Amino acid sequence: MTIAAGIGYALIALGPSLSLFISAISKKPFLILTVLSSTLLWLISLIVLSALWRVFLPLNSTTWWPYGLLLFTSIAFQEGLRLLFWKVYKRLEDLLDAFADKVSKPRLFLTDKMQISLAGGLGHGVAHAVFFCLSLLTPAFGPATYFVDRCSQIPFFLVSAIIALAFVMIHTFSMVIAFNGYAEGNKVDQIFVPSVHFAAGLVTLVNFASGGCIVSIPLLYFIAILTLLHCGKMVWRRLAENRSTQGTQE
Amino acid sequence: FSPTQKFPQAEFSPYQNTNYEWNPIGSGIMWNAYNFPVFLLSESSTLTLQEAATKNEKSKKAYTADVAEFDLVMQTTKAGTHDSESCLKERTCLPLGGYSVWSSLPPINFSSPDQSKPVILTVASMDSASFFRDKSLGADSPISGLISLLAAVDALSHVDGLDDLTKQLVFIVFTGEAWGYLGSRRFLHELDLQSDAVSGLNKSSIEMVIEIGSIGKGLNQGVNEFYAHTAGATSATNDTLDALKRAQDSLKSEHIISSTANASNPGIPPSSLMAFLRKNSLTSGVVLEDFNSVFSNKFYHSHLDDMSNINSSAIVAAASLVARTLYILASDNKNLSSSALTAINVNVSLVQALMGCLLDCDPGLSCELVKNYISPTNTCPSHYVGVIQDEPSSTPYLGYVDDVSRFLWNFLADRTSVPRENSSSTCAKGCRNKGEVCVRAETDGKGVCVISTTRYVPAYSTRLKFDSGDWIVLPPNSSDPMGMVDPVWTESNWNAIGLRVYEVQNATYDRLVLLGGIALTVLAYLAIVFTQAFITKALKRD
């Protein structure tokens, strides 16, 4: 695609993440580190998965279920890794709190913890967008464009940018929900995140059908908005609870 | 289907009637100047392009279109040198030319200086032209004649007692004939100069010129018919016609008929003999063709003149005819036994092998026969003359000589050779003795020295001179009448040539996408800032 269109596609996929980074994360070095380490973790998970699946690839299959299996195992692995990420974070949180006590500084606030989980989610989302969208854009600069047969209304790059944006949203807010769910022991939230991830993954399988993207993209955005709203609701509830407990404490 | 003129290269004809139409279906489109490039596409590419065109027609999306982009930079156009003289001066082009090959059967004996037998020169050409540079096969015109010549040389090489013949047989294959008779004109010029390239040949000793023209379409309803077009009603031409008759009689069983061409023809058809006649109007010559008054080749100088246009039995018939005629002429009726004549037979499998090597991509120049002599640079043969690189000489750097010329040199040297007593090892550095050449130098066996008189003769316009790295166009000289009408063809330097077809998006659409991306980023930023402010305000509200 032309350079103008290329920048456009990149901004569609990563523009909101860039905005989030600039406004919420760039001022706090610890959050930047969190983003980077979370990105790295996600990429490592991909490497491990590809090593495991290498034997079976390429999947020359006209049916969808081998791809479904691939998605299922990958998402399961990544959710497991999210749990691991949480455990590491918990250890880190305890260390930070102990340190704060030692130097008589305040401990981590709830908002701080939420920001950390937001940064973690953003790292995952950015990694997904870079890997699955940006990597397609960079070799494709030139005068031509490309349309896929099964989604012939929209250029291929636009489709991948839109899907990447949806996944950025899903990953970012899922992490907030997940960390909160593990912290509170809230089973609903703990189940919500993996199910949303699985659902999003499976919805992309609809793209195999001719004209499938017309169905799958709205579905994907529905899931993304759902995640966003659930996250918003949870954050609001936690902040309200926190305020009331703080109020009673003070 | 024939893009050349109705009388190809009429300006070189030795007779006045240039309105005679040898090639009545010729359209002449090849010789016009066009300010757009024309690409010949393969079958698969044509299908691709047709699909793209129909897609454009049927497309409902107004913002995309299939476009074709060509990558074709000709240095002469870029530099603004629009004619041969200026482009040669600026070195943005090179002159057309190549290397003709001549060989003598048996090899000329240089050690006895008194020996100068009269020479019978048998001529064929190896180059063709067409509207598309890389698709000039020229199966009928002139490669069928070339293959005939090679098969005749092969047949005659097995004859005993070649040294006792009264006359010397010399075979020459010219290149550049389609672009102003470059090969024949330069050969005649070199003969005048008595240069190294033609050492052993004397202009005055050439008694007779026999040219094998287009003979591939001679097969008509089971009978091979050929026509002898003569120039000059001398005793030599009459002898040749008689010899042809005798040869035909000896080949009775093979349904071969040779007749004299129609007397109402204005003269000989377009052929290298025209150059000989323009140089010396008293030359005795005969051109053997498969047509009488007009070309039987419907694809003369067309990219469609390929193997399907000719018949191998016509080539075998012509080769047998020529071989026996040459033997009759060379032995000059002295002790000519019919058994010796009937022993001269053309190897049919050789003819078919040559056809497969020179006229087809499979096996093409990677065929056994060619690989036995040279390492070809291309597999698909093309008989476009090409450009002459570096200084023309009789011992050129073989990297600049094209595959077919090198193959012909090796083939003729091998067939006309007398093997040495103690055939030694490799001759990569050349052969020590005079009169010896190194055959098969490019193959793994690294060559063997044989006694043979086979030489390269450069073929380029007589109006050109190579002077310390530059080609200079000489002014027209009345002593060179053919040079005066020579257009001095050159080929522009070029790098890569390609054609791409792809789908493009409307520029407005691209800008919309960019705008959309920017808007999305800005909106997201605003939304986040608003949310942050909301949360902090909500937290402070206590």
Side-chain angles (χ1 to χ4, degrees):
Chain A
M1 70 252 125
T2 55
I3 301 202
I7 297 177
Y9 295 132
L11 282 178
I12 289 175
L14 286 169
S17 346
L18 186 68
S19 305
L20 188 60
F21 188 85
I22 292 175
S23 55
I25 296 181
S26 58
K27 299 190 188 77
K28 302 194 175 169
F30 188 76
L31 292 180
I32 301 178
L33 287 174
T34 314
V35 171
L36 289 174
S37 53
S38 139
T39 312
L40 186 64
L41 184 73
W42 202 87
L43 284 175
I44 291 175
S45 76
L46 273 189
I47 292 172
V48 171
L49 280 169
S50 62
L52 286 171
W53 271 94
R54 184 68 187 88
V55 190
F56 304 98
L57 294 171
L59 287 174
N60 281 327
S61 175
T62 45
T63 55
W64 60 268
W65 64 262
Y67 297 101
L69 191 63
L70 174 65
L71 281 175
F72 191 82
T73 52
S74 311
I75 294 173
F77 184 74
Q78 286 189 332
E79 290 303 324
L81 224 57
R82 195 196 296 273
L83 199 58
L84 183 71
F85 194 42
W86 157 258
K87 292 220 158 64
V88 170
Y89 160 73
K90 200 77 190 82
R91 187 80 65 82
L92 191 65
E93 192 190 290
D94 293 336
L95 278 171
L96 284 174
D97 280 340
F99 183 73
D101 287 340
K102 225 185 340 184
V103 296
S104 319
K105 284 273 163 68
R107 285 189 164 194
L108 288 168
F109 287 115
L110 181 63
T111 46
D112 293 327
K113 295 183 202 172
M114 284 189 184
Q115 280 178 329
I116 293 174
S117 56
L118 186 73
L122 185 67
H124 274 205
V126 165
H128 182 115
V130 166
F131 210 82
F132 286 104
C133 176
L134 224 60
S135 62
L136 296 172
L137 296 178
T138 37
F141 282 105
T145 185
Y146 182 57
F147 286 76
V148 186
D149 285 333
R150 295 184 208 178
C151 190
S152 53
Q153 310 304 322
I154 321 170
F156 171 65
F157 304 109
L158 188 57
V159 174
S160 65
I162 291 175
I163 293 179
L165 177 63
F167 270 100
V168 164
M169 286 171 70
I170 293 174
H171 280 305
T172 311
F173 299 115
S174 301
M175 192 65 91
V176 181
I177 300 172
F179 272 27
N180 186 60
Y182 294 131
E184 277 190 325
N186 186 340
K187 284 284 183 242
V188 172
D189 283 347
Q190 283 177 16
I191 305 273
F192 182 83
V193 166
S195 350
V196 153
H197 199 172
F198 277 121
L202 291 174
V203 160
T204 56
L205 283 178
V206 178
N207 286 327
F208 270 129
S210 175
C213 56
I214 303 178
V215 172
S216 68
I217 291 180
L219 273 178
L220 214 54
Y221 272 89
F222 172 73
I223 296 175
I225 306 272
L226 190 70
T227 315
L228 173 62
L229 289 175
H230 188 102
C231 177
K233 209 170 69 173
M234 181 216 74
V235 166
W236 187 249
R237 177 179 53 84
R238 282 300 302 264
L239 286 176
E241 280 172 14
N242 199 37
R243 240 187 308 131
S244 58
T245 54
Q246 272 187 331
T248 53
Q249 276 173 348
E250 276 158 335
Chain B
F1 291 115
S2 173
T4 188
Q5 306 113 327
K6 295 198 195 304
F7 185 156
Q9 304 194 90
E11 57 271 17
F12 292 97
S13 83
Y15 46 82
Q16 302 298 94
N17 185 0
T18 52
N19 290 325
Y20 184 78
E21 294 181 356
W22 286 105
N23 185 25
I25 58 168
S27 57
I29 59 172
M30 201 170 124
W31 299 98
N32 296 336
Y34 302 98
N35 59 358
F36 52 85
V38 182
F39 288 86
L40 178 68
L41 301 175
S42 65
E43 269 217 49
S44 52
S45 302
T46 313
L47 283 173
T48 312
L49 222 64
Q50 274 177 332
E51 275 172 22
T54 38
K55 208 166 106 176
N56 266 351
E57 283 286 312
K58 291 198 309 191
S59 175
K60 302 178 207 97
K61 297 191 282 263
Y63 50 86
T64 58
D66 276 68
V67 298
E69 173 198 82
F70 51 83
D71 178 14
L72 173 64
V73 177
M74 289 284 150
Q75 209 182 359
T76 50
T77 318
K78 201 162 116 171
T81 50
H82 296 296
D83 69 349
S84 289
E85 196 159 351
S86 54
C87 81
L88 282 171
K89 205 167 14 178
E90 297 294 318
R91 299 200 192 180
T92 56
C93 66
L94 282 173
L96 257 48
Y99 284 93
S100 312
V101 179
W102 71 270
S103 184
S104 148
L105 178 74
I108 294 177
N109 197 343
F110 286 98
S111 49
S112 43
D114 283 341
Q115 267 217 3
S116 74
K117 295 180 183 170
V119 168
I120 299 177
L121 192 62
T122 310
V123 172
S125 47
M126 61 163 128
D127 83 306
S128 179
S130 88
F131 195 82
F132 300 103
R133 174 195 192 270
D134 293 321
K135 210 137 198 272
S136 322
L137 271 183
D140 186 30
S141 314
I143 302 295
S144 61
L146 170 64
I147 299 179
S148 267
L149 183 141
L150 297 176
V153 171
D154 175 68
L156 285 169
S157 65
H158 294 115
V159 166
D160 288 326
L162 285 169
D163 289 312
D164 301 329
L165 293 173
T166 324
K167 305 205 182 143
Q168 182 76 43
L169 290 173
V170 175
F171 299 90
I172 185 163
V173 182
F174 292 126
T175 186
E177 299 301 274
W179 293 96
Y181 297 117
L182 302 174
S184 41
R185 282 166 48 213
R186 175 56 54 175
F187 172 71
L188 292 167
H189 188 70
E190 301 270 327
L191 273 181
D192 279 343
L193 300 174
Q194 273 298 300
S195 66
D196 287 333
V198 294
S199 77
L201 283 180
N202 198 326
K203 197 167 66 160
S204 51
S205 59
I206 297 181
E207 188 185 83
M208 180 72 207
V209 179
I210 297 179
E211 181 170 347
I212 315 179
S214 322
I215 44 91
K217 294 180 83 71
L219 185 63
N220 276 321
Q221 287 154 346
V223 178
N224 292 299
E225 289 180 322
F226 302 108
Y227 297 91
H229 298 252
T230 59
T234 59
S235 61
T237 30
N238 286 336
D239 285 343
T240 312
L241 293 173
D242 289 337
L244 272 168
K245 249 307 164 257
R246 276 186 72 180
Q248 182 199 302
D249 290 335
S250 76
L251 288 164
K252 236 193 317 256
S253 57
E254 312 210 10
H255 309 290
I256 300 177
I257 299 181
S258 91
S259 1
T260 324
N262 204 328
S264 60
N265 288 346
I268 53 169
S271 52
S272 309
L273 191 58
M274 282 188 163
F276 281 83
L277 285 172
R278 278 291 281 262
K279 192 90 178 155
N280 175 5
S281 50
L282 300 172
T283 313
S284 312
V286 170
V287 186
L288 198 65
E289 305 268 21
D290 56 16
F291 59 86
N292 196 352
S293 304
V294 290
F295 287 170
S296 56
N297 186 1
K298 299 282 161 265
F299 302 119
Y300 185 78
H301 282 185
S302 158
H303 62 283
L304 300 165
D305 188 5
D306 59 16
M307 203 149 77
S308 56
N309 200 24
I310 56 172
N311 201 311
S312 64
S313 69
I315 301 181
V316 171
S320 316
L321 197 61
V322 167
R324 292 191 183 189
T325 308
L326 287 175
Y327 185 71
I328 295 169
L329 283 174
S331 42
D332 206 12
N333 280 328
K334 215 168 42 156
N335 309 328
L336 190 59
S337 60
S338 62
S339 57
L341 204 53
T342 45
I344 302 176
N345 285 310
V346 166
N347 186 343
V348 179
S349 54
L350 173 69
V351 169
Q352 284 167 339
L354 282 169
M355 280 172 72
C357 298
L358 296 174
L359 295 173
D360 202 358
C361 277
D362 173 32
L365 293 173
S366 306
C367 64
E368 289 267 341
L369 184 56
V370 171
K371 281 188 117 151
N372 194 13
Y373 291 110
I374 60 160
S375 343
T377 49
N378 298 313
T379 298
C380 279
S382 173
H383 298 112
Y384 167 64
V385 60
V387 292
I388 193 158
Q389 291 158 303
D390 212 25
E391 179 155 17
S393 92
S394 60
T395 47
Y397 167 60
L398 291 178
Y400 291 145
V401 180
D402 85 327
D403 290 337
V404 178
S405 298
R406 290 193 338 268
F407 165 65
L408 289 176
W409 188 95
N410 278 281
F411 181 89
L412 288 172
D414 185 39
R415 289 295 192 268
T416 62
S417 65
V418 173
R420 277 179 41 182
E421 298 82 43
N422 45 345
S423 41
S424 61
S425 53
T426 77
C427 55
K429 295 206 189 74
C431 299
R432 266 172 293 127
N433 304 333
K434 190 173 189 264
E436 282 183 13
V437 295
C438 184
V439 180
R440 297 195 179 88
E442 292 171 46
T443 60
D444 289 332
K446 288 290 181 284
V448 63
C449 279
V450 296
I451 301 173
S452 176
T453 312
T454 308
R455 302 210 210 295
Y456 289 109
V457 182
Y460 58 100
S461 173
T462 48
R463 288 273 300 281
L464 288 171
K465 191 164 104 94
F466 188 84
D467 184 23
S468 50
D470 280 308
W471 285 97
I472 301 171
V473 181
L474 302 166
N477 191 340
S478 56
S479 67
D480 179 14
M482 284 188 289
M484 287 176 72
V485 292
D486 184 359
V488 190
W489 291 107
T490 50
E491 182 185 302
S492 167
N493 295 340
W494 48 272
N495 198 347
I497 293 183
L499 180 66
R500 290 199 298 184
V501 174
Y502 49 80
E503 198 172 355
V504 288
Q505 240 167 239
N506 214 338
T508 344
Y509 194 86
D510 286 346
R511 277 182 234 126
L512 264 173
V513 167
L514 181 62
L515 230 62
I518 295 174
L520 200 61
T521 313
V522 169
L523 277 172
Y525 185 75
L526 292 172
I528 292 164
V529 165
F530 177 76
T531 316
Q532 275 182 320
F534 185 71
I535 291 181
T536 22
K537 212 170 88 165
L539 282 176
K540 284 215 173 82
R541 210 189 327 137
D542 237 316

